[in-house]
Amino acid sequence: MALQRSAGNAAVSRMIAQSRGAEPKVPFAAPSTRSKRTQQESGIERGESPPQQQQRVEKDQQATRATRSGKAGTSVKGKEKAEEPEEIGNPTLRFTSRYDGPTEQSLGGSQAIGFEQVATLRRADGMTTRAEDAYDFWQEVTDENRQITPEAVNYRPKKSKRPWVVDGPFRPPYNADDGTVVNAADHISFNDSPGFSGGMRMTNGYWLSSYEIRFRWKVRRKLGGRFTKNEPFWTSGEMVHRVESVFDPDNPEASAPITATAAGTRTWNVELSN
């Protein structure tokens, strides 16, 4: 069973699988790296406190002062009234995908069997608020596979499956350092490569009999504070990639065709809850 990205115990599972050699391979990607925000400090020159021009404040001026939270008003004498926040409209979500792998596999070969996909959330028309400041957008994934391993008895495949999880770096805060996430003013794109590729290819002694991976996306108006999976949110339909390749145990050295079906292309008009 294979997920493109996961965290914590998934990384440990990969190292164990690689060290044993005979365990089914599962696809992983390099974990996301988060850059720390540097806090800029500036010195404050101490002088007369308070300055003479601020020592006397008329009582009527004090009465018009207000907090910026809106609880006590929004105006300060001599300043313009703060603008109302922009209404956050319904975005659109577009998904595209394709198969990116060989047409055949062999038990003694090295095949990168996987897909390429992009999920793009575009803010509502006419908005000026940045997409990341308007929406929480995240990707979820589940998958299962059947593999023949080097120590399989009579070339009997082993099946594995994983439940739905939030998929690696494809969630707030958006790490755009490695190109997997594009965080632009008017849209957020998730560039993903699910499957068996890179360092997790189907290498010598392994055979991928079947592979199915499902994706869905969730969107809501942005919640303050740390990202959570709390409701309310809108959920897309599921998009499914599939791979099949029939192994001939009577002729194990022979290659066999790979039948791959990408999830395709789809666009959703997201309907957000109030």
Side-chain angles (χ1 to χ4, degrees):
M1 213 298 293
L3 291 180
Q4 177 66 21
R5 288 163 188 77
S6 57
N9 61 347
V12 176
S13 299
R14 177 174 61 173
M15 291 188 290
I16 295 174
Q18 290 175 334
S19 64
R20 292 180 180 175
E23 293 297 323
K25 291 179 177 289
V26 293
F28 287 90
S32 61
T33 56
R34 300 180 183 174
S35 59
K36 296 182 179 179
R37 293 184 179 179
T38 58
Q39 182 179 1
Q40 295 182 349
E41 297 181 354
S42 58
I44 300 177
E45 182 179 354
R46 297 183 60 86
E48 184 180 15
S49 179
Q52 290 184 0
Q53 62 269 26
Q54 294 182 11
Q55 289 180 3
R56 297 186 61 184
V57 179
E58 299 295 335
K59 291 183 179 181
D60 60 336
Q61 288 180 306
Q62 293 179 348
T64 61
R65 294 188 184 276
T67 65
R68 293 188 179 274
S69 65
K71 294 180 180 180
T74 58
S75 64
V76 177
K77 188 174 182 179
K79 294 185 178 180
E80 295 182 358
K81 184 177 179 179
E83 294 183 0
E84 292 293 330
E86 182 178 43
E87 181 178 353
I88 303 303
N90 289 325
T92 58
L93 174 59
R94 179 170 173 79
F95 173 78
T96 61
S97 66
R98 66 182 182 90
Y99 175 64
D100 184 29
T103 58
E104 292 185 342
Q105 74 170 320
S106 63
L107 196 62
S110 176
Q111 293 87 202
I113 303 172
F115 299 85
E116 294 292 334
Q117 65 183 49
V118 181
T120 298
L121 183 75
R122 190 169 298 276
R123 69 187 179 190
D125 291 342
M127 283 180 53
T128 59
T129 303
R130 286 186 63 88
E132 68 171 328
D133 295 329
Y135 310 106
D136 281 330
F137 175 42
W138 67 99
Q139 177 172 293
E140 295 182 343
V141 62
T142 181
D143 62 2
E144 60 183 275
N145 70 74
R146 293 169 58 250
Q147 292 183 44
I148 298 172
T149 68
E151 294 186 358
V153 177
N154 296 326
Y155 299 105
R156 184 178 303 166
K158 180 177 180 179
K159 183 178 180 179
S160 60
K161 184 176 183 177
R162 292 184 181 179
W164 284 102
V165 295
V166 176
D167 189 15
F170 303 113
R171 61 174 180 81
Y174 310 108
N175 174 33
D177 294 341
D178 59 2
T180 57
V181 178
V182 175
N183 186 4
D186 63 342
H187 71 276
I188 301 164
S189 291
F190 295 158
N191 301 312
D192 199 359
S193 302
F196 296 81
S197 59
M200 296 307 299
R201 295 181 177 220
M202 302 305 299
T203 54
N204 186 18
Y206 289 86
W207 184 282
L208 184 62
S209 298
S210 66
Y211 175 48
E212 179 179 283
I213 183 166
R214 296 174 177 266
F215 291 90
R216 67 189 180 196
W217 296 267
K218 294 185 175 180
V219 185
R220 67 181 171 214
R221 289 186 176 88
K222 191 170 187 66
L223 298 181
R226 188 174 181 179
F227 166 70
T228 69
K229 296 184 289 182
N230 294 342
E231 295 185 9
F233 49 74
W234 172 91
T235 305
S236 74
E238 296 178 13
M239 302 301 287
V240 187
H241 303 304
R242 292 185 177 93
V243 169
E244 290 185 351
S245 185
V246 179
F247 179 78
D248 183 1
D250 296 328
N251 190 11
E253 301 301 321
S255 299
I258 295 173
T259 302
T261 306
T265 299
R266 187 167 176 185
T267 299
W268 294 273
N269 294 316
V270 179
E271 297 182 1
L272 299 178
S273 302
N274 293 326

